[in-house]
């Protein structure tokens, strides 16, 4: 059975898309730890991040760097943090979480409320700054 994220890539499940290339897809996390929390995934469905081939980890990291730069340029956090966890969705992914103040809790356990309209606007802001 396909993962939720494979269904997002195919459009079967909707997402607030940020960027896409031949091998990767980026979209807003539906339950964000901070405004603009973005997930970067390989299109090839692999559960465990470290089961990706070394070149795939390299390519996903380069893609994530470009998306993080777009978050930095659009939302202007102090910096964008990175988490790889993968305990909930069995499809490798990199969390990009903007950090807006030094005291911000940096954890997947922390969630912020964002309306649908807010999510749409955040995705649009970030998308406009993506340079792949
Ligand atoms: P992890 O597997 O690293 O614990 O985290 C999975 C992340 O995927 C969570 O932060 C969760 O909010 C996000 N997530 C789970 N299902 C969906 C979904 O259907 N759409 C989106 N955009 N994010 C999801």
């Amino acid at each position: 059975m396909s993962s939720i994220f494979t269904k997002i890539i195919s459009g079967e499940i909707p997402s607030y898309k940020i960027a896409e290339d031949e091998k990767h897809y980026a979209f807003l996390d539906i339950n964000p730890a901070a405004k603009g929390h973005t997930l970067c995934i390989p299109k090839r469905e692999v559960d465990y991040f470290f089961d990706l081939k070394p070149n795939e980890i390299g390519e996903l990291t380069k893609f994530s760097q470009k998306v993080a730069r777009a978050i930095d340029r659009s939302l202007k956090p102090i910096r964008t943090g990175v988490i790889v966890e993968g305990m909930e969705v069995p499809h490798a992914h990199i969390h990009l979480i903007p950090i807006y103040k030094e005291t911000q809790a940096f954890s997947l356990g922390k969630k912020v409320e964002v309306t649908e309209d807010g999510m749409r606007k955040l995705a649009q802001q970030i998308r406009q700054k993506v340079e792949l």
Side-chain angles (χ1 to χ4, degrees), residues 4-5 8 27-31 39 85-89 93 95 111:
I4 290 178
F5 289 174
I8 283 176
F27 56 106
L28 291 184
D29 193 299
I30 205 68
N31 204 1
L39 301 174
E85 195 226 58
M87 294 307 290
E88 183 186 332
V89 178
H93 51 279
H95 293 261
K111 302 297 176 191

Side-chain angles (χ1 to χ4, degrees), residues 34-94:
K35 285 184 180 176
H37 178 173
T38 298
L39 301 174
C40 297
I41 61 176
K43 291 186 176 175
R44 189 168 90 83
E45 189 179 318
V46 172
D47 174 356
Y48 182 35
F49 183 85
F50 289 113
D51 281 337
L52 290 167
K53 296 174 193 159
N55 68 304
E56 289 177 317
I57 291 180
E59 287 169 354
L60 176 59
T61 304
K62 281 185 196 168
F63 177 78
S64 302
Q65 183 181 28
K66 289 173 183 167
V67 174
R69 291 294 191 207
I71 293 172
D72 291 342
R73 284 194 290 265
S74 57
L75 306 183
K76 308 218 180 302
I78 300 171
R79 56 180 57 190
T80 292
V82 179
I83 292 178
V84 174
E85 195 226 58
M87 294 307 290
E88 183 186 332
V89 178
H91 185 138
H93 51 279
I94 291 179

